[in-house]
Amino acid sequence: MNYTAISMFFLFVGITLVITVWASRRTKTRSDFYAAGSSIGGLQNGLAIAGDFMSAATFLGVTALVYSTGMDAILFIIGGTLGWAVILLLVAERLRNLGKYTFSDVVAFRLERKPVRTMSAIGSLAVAIPYLLAQMVGAGALIQILFGLPYEVAVVMVGVLMTMYVMFGGMLATTWIQTIKAVLLLIAGTIIGLGVMSMMNYDFGALITAAVSEHPKGAAIMVPGVMFTDIITVISIALAFVFGTAGLPHVLMRFFTVPDALQARRSVAYAIGFIGYFQSLIFIIGLGAIVYVTNNPEFLTADGGLIGGSNMSAVHLSKVIGGDLFLGFVSAVAFATILAVVSGLTLSAAAAVSHDLYANVICHGDADRDTELKISRITTLVIGMMTMGLAILLEGENVAVLALIALAIAASVNFPVMFLSMYWSRFTTRGALAGGYAGLATALILVLLGPTVWVTLFGFDKPIFPYRYPTLFAMLANLGCAYWFSVTDKSHRAFAESESYDAQWIQSEIGPLEEQS
Amino acid sequence: MLSQLDKEILINKDFQQLVKVRRRVSWSFLMFLLGLYSAFGFLSIYSPAVLARPVFAGGIVPFGVLMGYAILASAFIITLIYVWISNNYFVPLEKKVIDAIKAGTRT
């Protein structure tokens, strides 16, 4: 039992509950619930966006990747940052200018509302739910190790808290929780990074030399190729990061919490600063873990493995740097990270159901405000209960596949459809549906037939599809179908949709005119 | 299908300028960054030795690590440049377009 961790964690939960109560009093309209009343400033939104990205997967997972593979992890570190450049340069301002609460608003701007919204809501849910489950299962295991709580108790705690944040506090509470956590995580990362560098007398070369001499693979960790050996895998991973980030519904939702395109641009700029800084720390933290954790008997199990698996390398390192007190702080921050990210995901899933499916598909776009809000709260509750149940059933399963599916679908369903609707005048409803569903089906089938599911989960000898990551093929399937079914679409609807592109294009460039006057 | 207002904006010289320059700026920045990233990806498969070689003869830090940090730094610098161009060039141009259109509708 680590009492520092527990008391710091309860302090964080206490503060977030106070924020939720405060936010619930201010959450009355749809705009409040989905977009915090579009009242968040650029700096805070930048922190919140960075917080969404700096999940447990980045902090613990990428550190673990550096810890076990060395230079190969740089591909992930750069990719994670460049995804934000895509958002800044191509998406952020246009998204803010065209949409209201979800990215489906943009896709449905000139295309036929019902089928297109249904498709992008499915895309959002297909990203949010697996990602949510991956975080929950990871959280349960992590909390079990950090706090000594049983797995089920940990999952229920995370589930109940995230449901409360979202149901009562909506986007306002979610944003504040994400902001606070981002600041805490940046502080924790900075202290660990500085701690490692100071033990090395601020000599980066010495850190690398020490890591090479401590790592069981030795000098091989400073040569790429420990993990990746074929170009298809590298391209798929790069595409998943660079374009998948711009297809994550919970991240895209954040651009509606700022008042205008100018603040949207400012928020990504801040976010890139924070994320780039954090990513560069991760490499140092990972190397530090190699030096101070790999051969430290305190952190090893009887058979020589790392206690809690390689995901715990950053946490163990924090004990080396600051003893039990700092270990407690980092554990509490890791827990807070999971809580904040699952809340954002839950909100985006709830919005896909209540705003896209209920209000726009079932009610044809004129849903009653109170009913829509009630639906989104009920959806939140259902998603919370469902993910808690599934996460308990999935205890001990390999959940890497879930995160993999989520990012692949974001890159091969949501992003291409949104991108084409913004930039290509001849994109039609038929093309959007063909492309979106083709991307979704390809991504799911290839993951099913690939090594992760076919071999690891089903126990067959050889995978039917040889690559772990389906992104390259699924993106091509989407773009190919979207292109072909758009250019061959000679219907009146297709003609009208191309006609209305100019109006959409003008609004995407300079914003809605009525707001300006 | 276009409203009278939209038609006016489409023929507005400042609007055309804004769209043209912004498109050129954002795509060339993006291609630059993606080019660097692709170079890293291809090197890591086809000639890992280049990335593993020390930056300075006899030094320790491998070229791949330096390149990784350099790409992170260029992403940040490009962000700063883009925001600067936006604030000093695109935003005033946008205002000009909107003012011109508003003045047009009033008369």
Side-chain angles (χ1 to χ4, degrees), chain A residues 140-305:
Chain A
L142 183 71
I143 292 161
Q144 203 174 9
I145 301 165
L146 294 180
F147 296 85
L149 283 172
Y151 177 84
E152 292 82 6
V153 177
V155 167
V156 170
M157 254 172 88
V158 173
V160 168
L161 283 171
M162 81 177 185
T163 309
M164 285 196 344
Y165 295 154
V166 177
M167 245 176 103
F168 301 114
M171 184 55 114
L172 191 60
T174 311
T175 303
W176 273 101
I177 291 163
Q178 195 61 270
T179 314
I180 295 174
K181 162 241 140 165
V183 173
L184 289 174
L185 190 56
L186 285 167
I187 293 173
T190 307
I191 296 175
I192 304 179
L194 277 178
V196 169
M197 288 312 281
S198 82
M199 290 194 287
M200 286 289 156
N201 293 321
Y202 301 95
D203 181 352
F204 191 61
L207 176 62
I208 290 181
T209 315
V212 167
S213 72
E214 292 289 328
H215 201 282
K217 294 197 181 77
I221 60 163
M222 284 298 141
V223 186
V226 174
M227 183 171 44
F228 311 125
T229 43
D230 69 287
I231 192 72
I232 303 285
T233 301
V234 167
I235 294 177
S236 277
I237 291 176
L239 288 174
F241 272 112
V242 170
F243 299 112
T245 310
L248 294 174
H250 65 298
V251 164
L252 294 176
M253 245 184 126
R254 293 232 171 268
F255 290 99
F256 304 111
T257 66
V258 292
D260 52 28
L262 183 98
Q263 294 296 333
R265 178 169 61 234
R266 194 168 288 171
S267 17
V268 213
Y270 280 120
I272 291 182
F274 294 128
I275 290 168
Y277 170 68
F278 194 71
Q279 297 282 66
S280 33
L281 283 175
I282 291 282
F283 193 64
I284 294 175
I285 296 174
L287 292 180
I290 296 177
V291 177
Y292 296 104
V293 175
T294 319
N295 296 315
N296 191 334
E298 190 187 350
F299 306 120
L300 299 181
T301 55
D303 53 359

Side-chain angles (χ1 to χ4, degrees), chain A residues 75 93 280 505 509 516, chain B residues 19 22 37 69 72 82 102:
Chain A
L75 197 71
E93 297 163 38
S280 33
W505 178 56
E509 293 284 348
Q516 315 269 4
Chain B
V19 171
R22 181 145 63 187
Y37 191 30
Y69 275 104
L72 286 186
Y82 181 77
K102 270 194 213 150

Side-chain angles (χ1 to χ4, degrees), chain B residues 35-100:
Chain B
L36 283 178
Y37 191 30
S38 317
F40 186 88
F42 278 94
L43 280 177
S44 72
I45 294 297
Y46 293 114
S47 55
V50 172
L51 294 181
R53 198 157 45 202
V55 183
F56 303 108
I60 299 158
V61 179
F63 179 67
V65 172
L66 179 77
M67 187 170 175
Y69 275 104
I71 299 177
L72 286 186
S74 31
F76 186 61
I77 293 167
I78 278 188
T79 301
L80 292 181
I81 299 175
Y82 181 77
V83 169
W84 188 87
I85 298 178
S86 283
N87 292 343
N88 292 287
Y89 186 71
F90 298 148
V91 171
L93 214 52
E94 261 172 49
K95 281 217 173 73
K96 223 167 134 190
V97 174
I98 291 161
D99 289 343

